[in-house]
Amino acid sequence: MTRHVLHLLSDSTGETATAAANAVLSQFDDPAVDLRMHVFVRNQADVDKAVKAIRKSPGTVVYTLLDRSLGDHLRGCCADLGVPMIPLLDPLFKAMTDAIGPSRRHRPGKQYQTDTAYFQRVGAIDYAMALDDGATADRLRRADVILLGVSRTSKTPTCLYLAVRGIKAANVPLVPGAPLPQGLERALQEGVPAVGLTASPT
């Protein structure tokens, strides 16, 4: 089977390009694609280093470079190599510029700034880790949501998934033959929503 190479270039961690690529690849059945990451590409030397790798293993190039001159340089190199290139953020930038005016910042990684939402996410992750597999009555009342389920119903990864999005999720295991955890009923009475997770052989 022929394997295709997909080069992802980013001036930051590459999370945006990776998420977009994975979202697209998930729609194909067993895609034979090798992802090649080139992160923190912030000057022409970095671009040239990535281009050297692209020349060695040609493939589609996707980039999220905010520096226009670096994007232009990469575009020219890709044209010389005859490889397709996709400026991932350009269409969205153009649409938003038309709607709200020119952007004021061109700083890589700006979406990862430590603002209130960032600290909310950190707090939620700390909450999820501290309360994995059970919580005290007081802590259950402070949850944004309670996840209930028997073992192996993916409570922990779901709690962490929610925590990254700033949601404090409590993990409450249900043990056959054992009473419900103390404080659960009170938390539910006070309005904390609960979701039961299930699993099946299929």
Side-chain angles (χ1 to χ4, degrees):
M1 181 184 296
T2 302
R3 297 195 67 82
H4 301 280
V5 179
L6 178 58
H7 292 274
L8 305 179
L9 278 75
S10 169
D11 48 23
S12 188
T13 63
E15 183 177 352
T16 300
T18 301
N22 286 333
V24 171
L25 293 176
S26 70
Q27 301 303 307
F28 294 85
D29 293 328
D30 300 321
V33 176
D34 287 332
L35 293 180
R36 306 288 176 86
M37 297 295 303
H38 310 275
V39 297
F40 297 107
V41 178
R42 295 185 175 179
N43 54 52
Q44 187 166 321
D46 293 335
V47 173
D48 290 338
K49 181 179 178 181
V51 168
K52 184 177 180 180
I54 297 168
R55 182 180 292 110
K56 185 176 180 180
S57 301
T60 302
V61 175
V62 176
Y63 77 85
T64 56
L65 304 178
L66 294 181
D67 188 310
R68 188 178 299 277
S69 64
L70 294 183
D72 290 342
H73 180 58
L74 176 63
R75 200 166 15 248
C77 292
C78 287
D80 292 340
L81 294 175
V83 296
M85 183 215 51
I86 303 166
L88 187 62
L89 298 180
D90 281 12
L92 186 55
F93 265 123
K94 183 181 185 309
M96 290 297 94
T97 297
D98 292 343
I100 61 179
S103 62
R104 295 288 187 262
R105 303 182 177 92
H106 295 280
R107 293 183 298 198
K110 187 67 172 61
Q111 69 269 39
Y112 305 115
Q113 65 183 352
T114 53
D115 55 8
T116 301
Y118 168 81
F119 288 109
Q120 183 177 346
R121 291 194 299 273
V122 171
I125 292 172
D126 179 63
Y127 181 91
M129 295 299 293
L131 302 181
D132 187 33
D133 244 1
T136 64
D138 180 60
R139 290 195 175 231
L140 281 177
R141 294 165 57 202
R142 293 194 285 112
D144 294 321
V145 64
I146 299 171
L147 300 187
L148 302 136
V150 297
S151 180
R152 317 314 300 167
T153 50
S154 297
K155 296 186 300 299
T156 295
T158 305
C159 282
L160 292 175
Y161 175 89
L162 294 171
V164 170
R165 285 147 184 80
I167 299 171
K168 290 189 294 184
N171 172 352
V172 176
L174 299 180
V175 181
L180 290 174
Q182 185 179 7
L184 175 61
E185 185 175 352
R186 183 176 178 184
L188 298 178
Q189 289 175 345
E190 293 186 7
V192 180
V195 177
L197 302 184
T198 62
S200 72
T202 57

